[in-house]
Amino acid sequence: MTNNDIFKKLRVALMLRDDNIVEILKLVDFNISKSELGAFFRNEDHPKYMECGDQVLRNFLNGLVIHLRGTKENPKTPAEALANNFKPKATTSTSKSKRPDFKTQQRKKMNNDLSPVKYKNKKKS
């Protein structure tokens, strides 16, 4: 199992996005861009694939410990840290009009009548 596989599995298991991973790496003063991260998560046969080095994975794991447990001075529970990953980011633009999203518009258009249907192409016995 390669470092890339470990990195991918941790990303999926903890439901982390690229910006979350960048923030975790910044906790240990390791700066990396989203495009560099994307190269680690590509397939091995992709031309832009890059091998994840030991240093990147080590710094990610150390940052993950700080992200989940906190520091000695400021400890926190892992449940709180994981719950923060699921919070939707607030939009800063207040000029947007309150328009219903696509799903609610489609639900209004749906016919919710669940009456029994008579099929014309039944087998004759």
Side-chain angles (χ1 to χ4, degrees):
M1 184 175 258
T2 65
N3 288 345
N4 292 56
D5 295 334
I6 295 168
F7 208 178
K8 285 179 195 176
K9 290 183 184 294
L10 284 171
R11 178 185 183 203
V12 172
L14 298 172
M15 291 184 254
L16 297 172
R17 304 186 76 187
D18 286 344
D19 47 348
N20 298 109
I21 295 172
V22 169
E23 290 172 12
I24 289 171
L25 286 168
K26 283 183 182 176
L27 291 174
V28 289
D29 298 326
F30 190 82
N31 294 325
I32 194 167
S33 67
K34 287 184 184 181
S35 58
E36 288 176 304
L37 277 178
F40 296 142
F41 300 126
R42 296 183 192 277
N43 287 334
E44 290 182 23
D45 57 347
H46 195 278
K48 302 272 183 170
Y49 172 79
M50 208 167 75
E51 193 72 31
C52 179
D54 293 337
Q55 182 183 11
V56 176
L57 187 62
R58 177 178 40 116
N59 282 313
F60 173 70
L61 293 173
N62 288 335
L64 192 61
V65 168
I66 294 170
H67 175 72
L68 294 177
R69 291 188 200 163
T71 59
K72 285 185 179 181
E73 298 82 27
N74 187 14
K76 57 183 175 180
T77 60
E80 292 172 1
L82 290 174
N84 290 338
N85 289 345
F86 303 119
K87 288 182 181 176
K89 297 200 176 191
T91 56
T92 57
S93 175
T94 57
S95 63
K96 289 185 179 180
S97 64
K98 293 289 182 178
R99 195 176 107 184
D101 64 336
F102 181 76
K103 285 185 179 180
T104 55
Q105 289 177 354
Q106 293 300 317
R107 285 186 189 127
K108 288 179 183 177
K109 291 180 184 178
M110 278 184 6
N111 183 5
N112 293 331
D113 183 24
L114 297 175
S115 60
V117 178
K118 293 184 180 179
Y119 294 102
K120 293 181 182 179
N121 298 330
K122 286 188 176 179
K123 286 186 178 179
K124 295 180 181 178
S125 36

